[in-house]
Amino acid sequence: MAAVLQAQVQEQAFDPAALHRSLKVADCGAVVEFTGYVRGGEGSAAVTTLELEHYPGMTERSLQLILEDAAARWPLLAATVVHRVGRLAPGEPIVWVGVGAAHRGEAFAACDFIMDFLKTRAPFWKKEHGPAGSAWVEARSSDDERAARWQPPQGSSR
Amino acid sequence: MLRLLFFARVREQLGCDRLEVPWSADAATVEKLLSHLQQRGPQWQAALGQPNLLIAVNQCVAEPADLLREGDEVAFFPPVTGG
């Protein structure tokens, strides 16, 4: 059975409980979910607003490709990713990934994989605004290192 | 025509989010288009000369030697920071 894959980019807030209900499909023995929140920072690094820019079209396409890649590596039943754009306040949820599979091993691995590739491949950019001014968030090499842990699946040239 | 898009810090540095340029032999590959654009002035040289600059052609990340065709969409942006 082909996995049910859904990728969405939106300005509005999302409800993890509603996303969980829409993800759960028949015969999922395991559901693993990840929710990322905006951090507020402290002192000179305090953030009052996080601005998320993206590349409409390419963003949705790259998220869909990441989900397809995950479904080709593990026997998934369902996978959903929702990412917000626009202006967000500290404490607000920014990204949600949910994976349903028969067993927990593939669900944990696929959820981790999707987040690693989302952070290093999907065209989103964060800009932090705070009392000290505004600055683009720099990409971190630790994110590239995490993504590099995943070898291409056998028989793939990607 | 080539449809150029600029995002995040690159967009701010150029003060411009999109631009159309005619396709020509001068812009037949990603690399040639990049050096052609850098000749527009110091601002362009600085924004598009960053070593970590990423370029996507028709919404797929491209290599310097990739060919460009009439009507292509070419986007320039810094490393991504979502999630």
Side-chain angles (χ1 to χ4, degrees), chain A residues 3 23-25 28-32 75-80 98-103 106-107:
Chain A
L23 175 81
K24 183 81 169 64
V25 295
C28 271
V31 172
V32 170
L76 307 182
L77 294 169
T80 298
V99 177
H103 303 286
E106 50 259 34

Side-chain angles (χ1 to χ4, degrees), chain A residues 53-58 61 83 95 118-127 136-139, chain B residues 5-9 11-12 52 56 58-61 73-75 77-83:
Chain A
E53 180 171 335
H54 77 125
Y55 180 176
M58 183 174 172
R61 186 168 161 166
H83 202 298
V95 59
L118 183 155
K119 286 190 90 82
T120 53
R121 298 284 192 279
F124 293 101
W125 301 276
K126 287 188 185 121
K127 190 175 193 181
W136 290 100
V137 172
E138 297 295 338
Chain B
L5 301 173
F6 308 103
F7 291 99
R9 183 184 277 138
R11 170 180 58 73
E12 283 188 349
N52 58 7
N58 298 329
Q59 306 187 354
C60 294
V61 172
E73 176 176 296
V74 188
F77 47 82
V80 302
T81 55

Side-chain angles (χ1 to χ4, degrees), chain A residues 4-15:
Chain A
V4 181
L5 307 176
Q6 296 181 78
Q8 194 158 328
V9 178
Q10 62 185 48
E11 284 196 17
Q12 319 87 273
F14 55 78
D15 173 14

